[in-house]
DNA sequence: ACAAATAAGTGAATATCATTTACCATGGAA
DNA sequence: TTCCATGGTAAATGATATTCACTTATTTGT
C-alpha cells in the first residue's frame, strides 16, 4: 500500500468523465453501457470492475460535482458574519451552481430521484451534509435572534431548498435561462420577508 | 359513434388500476410489464394496444390522480374570498394530497421526472394547469394589494410549490409521517411572513 | 338479420441492453 | 521464480420491453 488515501485508477476516472461529458448532450436513460464504454475508451466489462451498475456511475458523477460544490460553499462562507448574511450567500451560491452547471442540475433535479439506491449512495450523503450546514446556520440565526424562533428549522431549510430547486427546474428541463443575480435577490427577499404585503 | 366523449375500454382501466395498486407496495422501476399484465389479468401484448410503453401507463396513473386533485382543488376553493385565504387553502389541500396519497406523491416527486416524455404528457399538462390556477390567485392578490408587488408572481409560485414538495419529500422517500395541519400552518406562516424576525 | 369493419385480446418471437463470467497481461512483492 | 493483485478484455447470458402475425368479439351500416 503506497498511500492511505485510495487513489482512483485511471480507468475509473475515464468512465466518470465520459459519462459527465455524454450527459451534456443526452439524457442518462438514453445512454447505454456500451455508449459510456466507447466514450471512455474502455470495454463494457471493465465498468463492472469499478461500479456496481449503470446507476452507480451516475452517482459517482454527482458525487464529484457535489464535492466541488461543498468545497466552494465552504470557501464562499468564509469571512461572512451573521446567519442571514450566510443564508444570502448560500442561496446565491446554490443558484449559481444550478444555473452554470447544467449537468449537475439535471442529475440532481431529474435523473437520480427514481432509484432507491441513490438515497443510500455516497452522493446522497453529501446532500445530507449540505442540509446539515444549512440547518446549522438557521439554528445559529434563531439563537442570535436574527431568525424567528416559532418555525421549526427543518421547515425553513425545506423552504429555502425547495424554492431554489423549483426555481431552477425549468432551466434544467427546458433550458430556459436563469439570471443568478436576479433569482438570488428575488428569492432571498421573498424568503426573508414573506409574500404578504 | 355513441357518445362524443371517448369512454375508456375496460382493459385499459384494468391496466391502470393494476399499476396503481402495485405501486402501493413496489417501486415502478422494479415492476415488469409482465407483473403489470398479470396483476391486470391481461396479456402483455394488450398493454401495447393502449399504451405507448411502460412509462406511458405510469403517466396515465398520474393523470387520473391529478384529475381528482384538480376537481378537489376547485371544490376546495369555492366560497373562499381573498387571495391569501385561497393560498392558505391551496397549501393545505396540496399537503393533504401528498400526505394521504402516498402513491401519488411517490409518482410525482420521484418516479416520473427522469423521462423527457413526461414533460410532454397529458399528466404534465395538468400540472401546468394547476400552476396557472396558482399563478392567477397570486396575480389577483397583487392586484388587490394583499400580496406585495415587487416580486414576480412566478417566483412566488415556485416558492409555494417548491416548499410544499420539498417538505413532503422525506415522507415520500422514507415514509416519515407528516401532519397535514401542522405542516400547512407552518408553511403558510413561513411563506406569508418570511423567516426574518 | 348479416356481412364488413373495427376493436379487444393473445402469445410467441425479437431485439435491446445490463450484467456475468471466464480469460489474458503485467508488474510488483515474497 | 513464483504468486498474487490489479487492470483489462470479449464473448455469453439473462432479463425484459416491445413487436407481430394472428384469433375472437363487437359494433355498424344496409
Amino acid at each position: 500500500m503506497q498511500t492511505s488515501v485510495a487513489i482512483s485508477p485511471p480507468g475509473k476516472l475515464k468512465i466518470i468523465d465520459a459519462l459527465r461529458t455524454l450527459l451534456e448532450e443526452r439524457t442518462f436513460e438514453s445512454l447505454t453501457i456500451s455508449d459510456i464504454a466507447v466514450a471512455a475508451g474502455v470495454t463494457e466489462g471493465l465498468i463492472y470492475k469499478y461500479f456496481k451498475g449503470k446507476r452507480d456511475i451516475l452517482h459517482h458523477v454527482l458525487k464529484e460535482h457535489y464535492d466541488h460544490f461543498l468545497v466552494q460553499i465552504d470557501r464562499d462562507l468564509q469571512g461572512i458574519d451573521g446567519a442571514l448574511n450566510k443564508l444570502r450567500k448560500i442561496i446565491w451560491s446554490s443558484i449559481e451552481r444550478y444555473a452554470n452547471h447544467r449537468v449537475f442540475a439535471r442529475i440532481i433535479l431529474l435523473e437520480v430521484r427514481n432509484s432507491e439506491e441513490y438515497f443510500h449512495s455516497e452522493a446522497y450523503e453529501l446532500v445530507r451534509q449540505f442540509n446539515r450546514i444549512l440547518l446549522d446556520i438557521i439554528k445559529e440565526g434563531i439563537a442570535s435572534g436574527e431568525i424567528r424562533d416559532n418555525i421549526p428549522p427543518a421547515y425553513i431549510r425545506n423552504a429555502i431548498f425547495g424554492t431554489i430547486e423549483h426555481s431552477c427546474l425549468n432551466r434544467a428541463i427546458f433550458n430556459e435561462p436563469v439570471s443568478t443575480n436576479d433569482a438570488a435577490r428575488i428569492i432571498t427577499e421573498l424568503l426573508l420577508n414573506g409574500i404578504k404585503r
Side-chain angles (χ1 to χ4, degrees), chain A residues 22 29 34 40 43 48 56-57 65 77 83 99 105-106 117 175 192:
Chain A
L22 286 170
E29 276 239 322
S34 167
T43 55
Y48 290 86
D56 196 33
I57 317 171
H65 266 288
L77 287 177
R106 290 186 57 87
E117 307 133 64
N175 213 10
L192 295 195

Side-chain angles (χ1 to χ4, degrees), chain A residues 143-162:
Chain A
S144 75
E146 284 185 276
I147 294 176
R148 39 207 299 229
D149 61 1
N150 58 344
I151 293 183
Y155 277 92
I156 295 179
R157 184 204 55 197
N158 286 337
I160 295 173
F161 227 60

Side-chain angles (χ1 to χ4, degrees), chain A residues 134-147:
Chain A
L134 201 46
L135 210 53
D136 285 344
I137 295 175
I138 292 165
K139 285 177 181 165
E140 175 195 332
I142 292 173
S144 75
E146 284 185 276
I147 294 176

Side-chain angles (χ1 to χ4, degrees), chain A residues 91-111:
Chain A
I91 289 170
W92 185 91
S93 299
S94 300
I95 294 171
E96 192 271 338
R97 181 54 58 159
Y98 285 120
N100 295 339
H101 298 76
R102 190 146 176 272
V103 170
F104 168 77
R106 290 186 57 87
I107 295 177
I108 202 159
L109 296 180
L110 305 174
E111 316 260 37

Side-chain angles (χ1 to χ4, degrees), chain A residues 1 25 42 46 83 88 154 166-167 169 172 181 193-194:
Chain A
M1 183 77 80
E25 298 295 334
V42 302
L46 187 63
R88 275 186 254 271
H166 216 84
S167 299
L169 205 54
N181 286 325
N193 298 315

Side-chain angles (χ1 to χ4, degrees), chain A residues 42-73:
Chain A
V42 302
T43 55
E44 304 174 34
L46 187 63
I47 290 179
Y48 290 86
K49 284 278 154 66
Y50 296 124
F51 302 97
K52 289 199 279 277
K54 191 187 166 191
R55 273 268 158 51
D56 196 33
I57 317 171
L58 183 65
H59 297 159
H60 275 80
V61 174
L62 178 57
K63 176 172 149 37
E64 221 184 44
H65 266 288
Y66 224 97
D67 272 331
H68 291 146
F69 178 50
L70 286 179
V71 167
Q72 185 66 53
I73 284 283

